[in-house]
Amino acid sequence: MSNWKKEKFQGRISAAVEDSVPHWPQPAKPQEGAPNIVVILLDDLGFAHLGSYGSDIATPHIDALAHGGLRYNNFHTTAVCSPTRAALLTGRNPHATGVSFVSGFDSGFPNTRGKVSKETALLSEILVEEGYNTFAVGKWHLVPAAEHSAAGPFDNWPLGRGFERYYGFLEGATSQWNPDLVEDNRPVQQPKTVEEGYHLTEDLTDRAIQYIRDQKSAAPDKPFFAYVAYGATHAPHHAPKAYVDKYKGKYDKGWDVARTEWFERQKSLGIIPQDAVLPPRNPGVKAWADLTADEQKLFARQQEAFAGFLEHTDEHIGRLVDFLKEIEQLDNTLLVLLSDNGACAMGGDEGTVHSWAEGFGLKESFEEKLQRIDEIGTHLANNHYPAGWAQVGNTPLKWYKSFVHAGGVQDPLIIHYPNVIKKGGTVRSQFHFVTDIVPTVLELLGIEAPDTYKGVSQQPIHGTSLAYTFEDADGPSRKPAQYFEMIGNRGIWKDGWKAVAIHKPNTPFAQDEWELYHVAEDFTESRNLAAEQPERLRELVDLWWAEAGRNGVLPLDGRSIIAKVRSIESARPAKQDVVSRTFYPTSFGLPFAKAPDIRNKPFEINASLNRSSTRDEGVIVAQGGRFGGYSLYVQHNRLTFFYNHSYGVQYVVTSDSELPAGAVTVSFRFAKTGDNEGVATLYANGAKIGEGHVGHTGYLGFSNEQFHVGENNPTPVSPTYASPFRFSGKLNNVVYTLGGYSADLESLLAVELATE
């Protein structure tokens, strides 16, 4: 019985209690001995990254799970994080859930709403109605950024989708040293500083253990579902220095040698077929021997940081497993560990130091990256490795995250369940997809997905249970077929054959070149049979279109990200020329989508302050942090505007005179003088107190970190203060005028021009 339904009273009500019959509804109760469910989701972890899948990175705790459970070498995801999470938690194909791409992107069509449809209930929603306690820890990435504010709505946050407790971060990526944290439905500060030893992976593990400990203390016989979605190993690759240094010199041999070594180790482990072929390097990846000594030095250090990051994560997964063992719950826990997609090549040819994805903000020069080599992995960097190392992580598969060739979608899966899986340490090769986890859980629990949930008719589960593989090591896959689609890249698998096509953005789909592979015999998609078997290819392509129609994939959208955004913006109602918004001090920051959009336009900031003394100081408004953003603040009794565009590129305007104590209105006005630049002017009570040039204004306010009033978290925009640098006086409000200036300042400007 579902708890959300109002149960019909089964007693009898008369005029007096003596003549009435009471009735007490019974809460939903799982079957006797129902297992706990723990799903551990790693991020951007390639097929080969785990030691038990062939790498030379130390992952002993995860490998122990593989030794006691089952490893799958033919398991697939969607190629990108949000769609995989939607499919994993609902058991439905991603387009059918409304999440065909990253959360927050709404194309105006049902397949891309950026949040999970209410027609596809999550496993958490199903299990909580069956008497389970439910916890989520870590990365969510299933709610649009525009819904990350104090106004919600909260129905797409974890607590709105069946989880009873949540601790983690809502966005797709965050700093491991200074994350944007949320607990339940409110923002919280990290429990200790970087200097005190904080790291997000440790924090998330602590919280998962705490939730389980609290639950087992309160209801020892009640099972739980814990969804533990680490930020690791998504960039930025952050790890304590001791873990990174452990790999110092290990990757001086380069990615070509490492890839060959991992490939041979995979064969010796039996995780890939003995006749598998190692494909040539992916297009664009240089031979290691052709790199300069400085390039090799930098790129090796970037891989060392990743390796240390993964080993550090493995250690904390071990802590979680050890805790389950300590409380005697491990044997009766179905533990599923997987990755959301293949290794990520967004670090580009050279990797990054300042921005975790190549192309965000001002491009770093190679010399700047090399100069900062000692910062890689620390809180001072936002580092990512080059595509060459991502290719190694996907050994022996081609391409990367976002591609639907095997390198983007074929990922590790480990299932550990001692009470049921008696012969661990073996490999399963049946084809399966991420939608198959939910029906596996439901089969093992002996329950069915509801036809309706909270009054909403439900789509059928699309996945196929893989529970049969626990006993059937060599039998055929029971999966009938599976389509793939990601940013226009398309694929279809059926009966050991796969058709796949790469789509070039902003080109007609008719120009895509379909490839054909007999993957049952060609593990690495190395022998394209399209020319030899055109009829089979046509059958598969026709099947792709049929599956696309059935699962809401259409309309196909192969536009570039820029083209998509421009199209959406042009379709929305025109904005007013001048817009005024008032903000108040709050610890609940605003995401970029809700923050004032001040990019490349005239604007004005007016703040009403009351300072009991000239020592009162702090941040008035700030958006962003150490890796980019702007801040307007009072320090040393002077008003300062600081724009941190990128590493080594900052614009600072500070008042010429000190500020008065008492009530004061301070203002900042930006006037455009060119396409990407302008003049910034500071005022106090209407009097001009400072002026300076500001450039790169096309990125002003463009930051994946939050907008705050009265403080700057989690990292400082300006190196002259430490976060949060809360304003110590009284900050009444801050008014932004976007696209122009307030009437008062327009008058003041006219006076200034007249008297010059």
Side-chain angles (χ1 to χ4, degrees):
M1 181 207 58
S2 295
N3 296 332
W4 63 267
K5 294 180 180 178
K6 184 177 180 180
E7 182 181 327
K8 183 179 179 181
F9 179 66
Q10 298 179 21
R12 186 180 74 247
I13 299 176
S14 299
V17 70
E18 293 82 3
D19 301 320
S20 302
V21 178
H23 168 71
W24 288 272
Q26 296 300 309
K29 192 173 183 180
Q31 293 181 356
E32 188 73 24
N36 307 305
I37 311 296
V38 175
V39 174
I40 299 176
L41 183 62
L42 298 175
D43 205 331
D44 289 1
L45 183 88
F47 180 83
H49 271 140
L50 301 175
S52 51
Y53 277 76
S55 87
D56 56 13
I57 300 172
T59 56
H61 301 285
I62 297 175
D63 297 345
L65 293 174
H67 181 73
L70 301 174
R71 280 173 296 163
Y72 292 76
N73 69 356
N74 203 7
F75 179 76
H76 298 74
T77 59
T78 71
V80 167
C81 42
S82 296
T84 289
R85 290 158 206 273
L88 169 67
L89 292 172
T90 67
R92 283 88 167 189
N93 286 314
H95 299 79
T97 72
V99 188
S100 70
F101 191 45
V102 292
S103 74
F105 188 80
D106 187 344
S107 69
F109 297 100
N111 63 7
T112 312
R113 291 302 187 191
K115 51 190 174 185
V116 179
S117 166
K118 298 300 194 295
E119 297 177 353
T120 57
L122 274 60
L123 181 61
S124 50
E125 294 173 304
I126 296 172
L127 292 186
V128 78
E129 304 298 343
E130 295 291 337
Y132 272 69
N133 285 127
T134 55
F135 324 122
V137 169
K139 174 175 169 176
W140 185 238
H141 210 200
L142 289 174
V143 59
E147 297 181 9
H148 289 189
S149 75
F154 297 99
D155 58 326
N156 290 301
W157 289 42
L159 267 60
R161 297 309 303 252
F163 288 105
E164 297 169 309
R165 298 303 309 274
Y166 173 68
Y167 182 82
F169 59 101
L170 298 176
E171 275 288 6
T174 194
S175 168
Q176 300 291 312
W177 301 114
N178 299 110
D180 288 312
L181 288 172
V182 167
E183 183 173 14
D184 297 334
N185 283 350
R186 62 189 179 88
V188 293
Q189 300 299 314
Q190 61 193 70
K192 57 185 179 182
T193 65
V194 174
E195 292 73 20
E196 293 169 331
Y198 180 84
H199 192 281
L200 179 60
T201 300
E202 178 181 355
D203 189 14
L204 296 176
T205 306
D206 288 345
R207 193 56 59 103
I209 291 172
Q210 177 190 327
Y211 286 163
I212 295 169
R213 180 188 290 117
D214 291 348
Q215 188 264 355
K216 285 301 175 186
S217 297
D221 297 326
K222 190 174 183 180
F224 63 83
F225 168 40
Y227 173 55
V228 184
Y230 287 105
T233 50
H234 194 294
H237 300 152
H238 288 157
K241 188 174 186 296
Y243 288 83
V244 178
D245 287 348
K246 182 176 179 179
Y247 291 88
K248 191 170 182 61
K250 190 174 185 68
Y251 298 109
D252 291 354
K253 58 193 175 187
W255 50 56
D256 292 323
V257 172
R259 185 169 178 244
T260 300
E261 290 178 351
W262 291 18
F263 178 65
E264 294 303 325
R265 190 177 294 111
Q266 289 173 323
K267 287 189 175 182
S268 67
L269 291 171
I271 198 66
I272 65 173
Q274 294 303 306
D275 61 356
V277 176
L278 184 64
R281 284 185 298 272
N282 290 328
V285 176
K286 294 181 180 179
W288 185 263
D290 292 341
L291 301 175
T292 67
D294 280 346
E295 287 174 327
Q296 292 178 348
K297 178 182 177 181
L298 175 64
F299 301 166
R301 187 57 175 175
Q302 290 164 333
Q303 172 66 4
E304 291 167 9
F306 176 87
F309 190 20
L310 177 53
E311 181 176 344
H312 179 255
T313 304
D314 174 82
E315 180 176 302
H316 290 286
I317 290 173
R319 284 205 303 125
L320 177 59
V321 173
D322 287 345
F323 174 71
L324 293 173
K325 190 182 301 182
E326 176 189 326
I327 63 173
E328 300 181 347
Q329 292 293 321
L330 183 61
D331 287 354
N332 196 37
T333 295
L334 171 66
L335 192 154
V336 179
L337 184 146
L338 70 160
S339 176
D340 60 351
N341 45 248
C344 177
M346 291 178 70
D349 295 338
E350 298 177 352
T352 63
V353 177
H354 191 74
S355 176
W356 65 260
E358 184 73 11
F360 282 71
L362 187 69
K363 182 177 175 61
E364 305 167 81
S365 70
F366 176 82
E367 290 71 25
E368 288 171 338
K369 297 173 189 177
L370 186 63
Q371 182 182 356
R372 300 180 64 192
I373 191 170
D374 292 334
E375 296 177 8
I376 290 173
T378 74
H379 67 289
L380 299 175
N382 236 353
N383 50 288
H384 201 330
Y385 57 22
W389 286 117
Q391 178 183 247
V392 176
N394 290 331
T395 303
L397 310 173
K398 295 192 299 187
W399 296 110
Y400 318 97
K401 172 183 179 178
S402 82
F403 292 85
V404 299
H405 284 72
V409 298
Q410 197 162 334
D411 299 304
L413 170 68
I414 296 171
I415 298 182
H416 183 274
Y417 187 10
N419 278 358
V420 172
I421 299 174
K422 301 300 184 182
K423 296 181 180 179
T426 55
V427 175
R428 297 293 186 265
S429 296
Q430 293 93 340
F431 179 97
H432 275 284
F433 188 62
V434 66
T435 53
D436 301 340
I437 301 302
V438 165
T440 301
V441 172
L442 298 183
E443 178 182 341
L444 293 171
L445 300 185
I447 61 179
E448 295 182 0
D451 295 328
T452 61
Y453 182 75
K454 294 191 175 180
V456 179
S457 295
Q458 296 292 292
Q459 296 183 30
I461 297 291
H462 297 153
T464 302
S465 171
L466 51 75
Y468 72 94
T469 65
F470 295 176
E471 296 291 337
D472 188 354
D474 302 315
S477 174
R478 297 182 184 177
K479 191 79 171 174
Q482 181 60 50
Y483 82 90
F484 300 89
E485 190 279 329
M486 182 54 59
I487 56 175
N489 299 322
R490 292 175 286 167
I492 183 82
W493 175 94
K494 181 177 173 59
D495 296 334
W497 288 84
K498 181 179 176 183
V500 61
I502 294 176
H503 180 71
K504 183 179 179 181
N506 303 324
T507 64
F509 283 97
Q511 294 180 6
D512 292 355
E513 183 176 336
W514 283 90
E515 304 163 20
L516 176 67
Y517 299 101
H518 191 192
V519 289
E521 298 180 359
D522 179 14
F523 188 84
T524 60
E525 299 174 358
S526 294
R527 297 184 294 276
N528 183 4
L529 303 176
E532 298 175 30
Q533 301 201 39
E535 292 184 5
R536 186 186 295 275
L537 177 60
R538 173 45 52 194
E539 290 175 1
L540 285 172
V541 173
D542 289 346
L543 178 61
W544 185 91
W545 283 104
E547 290 295 303
R550 250 193 305 272
N551 288 280
V553 179
L554 307 179
L556 280 172
D557 190 348
R559 297 170 294 175
S560 66
I561 301 299
I562 293 175
K564 290 177 182 180
V565 171
R566 287 176 177 170
S567 174
I568 292 170
E569 289 296 324
S570 65
R572 289 175 174 165
K575 296 179 180 179
Q576 296 174 259
D577 290 337
V578 179
V579 177
S580 179
R581 288 185 61 185
T582 301
F583 300 91
Y584 303 94
T586 172
S587 61
F588 213 129
L590 291 177
F592 170 75
K594 285 284 189 179
D597 184 358
I598 59 175
R599 290 173 294 174
N600 213 25
K601 62 168 65 75
F603 70 93
E604 174 189 292
I605 305 171
N606 286 297
S608 171
L609 315 177
N610 200 311
R611 304 166 71 227
S612 59
S613 78
T614 56
R615 291 188 299 273
D616 281 338
E617 62 180 9
V619 170
I620 298 170
V621 291
Q623 181 173 6
R626 180 177 290 120
F627 303 103
Y630 72 91
S631 178
L632 181 65
Y633 57 94
V634 177
Q635 190 174 41
H636 307 311
N637 204 31
R638 292 180 185 268
L639 182 65
T640 296
F641 176 80
F642 191 100
Y643 174 27
N644 177 17
H645 171 59
S646 188
Y647 179 72
V649 181
Q650 288 91 30
Y651 299 91
V652 186
V653 182
T654 299
S655 62
D656 301 323
S657 58
E658 295 189 2
L659 296 174
V664 58
T665 297
V666 297
S667 304
F668 171 90
R669 185 185 68 226
F670 174 74
K672 288 185 63 177
T673 58
D675 183 47
N676 204 29
E677 62 180 344
V679 174
T681 309
L682 302 175
Y683 296 86
N685 290 330
K688 178 179 174 181
I689 57 174
E691 185 176 85
H693 171 261
V694 176
H696 293 95
T697 55
Y699 284 97
L700 184 58
F702 184 75
S703 170
N704 63 353
E705 295 187 66
Q706 293 187 328
F707 171 83
H708 288 274
V709 178
E711 61 182 52
N712 182 193
N713 271 317
T715 62
V717 169
S718 169
T720 66
Y721 62 77
S723 289
F725 198 39
R726 293 187 179 92
F727 188 71
S728 57
K730 183 179 181 182
L731 173 56
N732 298 312
N733 59 57
V734 177
V735 179
Y736 273 72
T737 304
L738 308 178
Y741 320 121
S742 67
D744 288 344
L745 273 182
E746 284 185 320
S747 300
L748 288 169
L749 179 59
V751 171
E752 287 179 15
L753 292 174
T755 56
E756 281 186 350

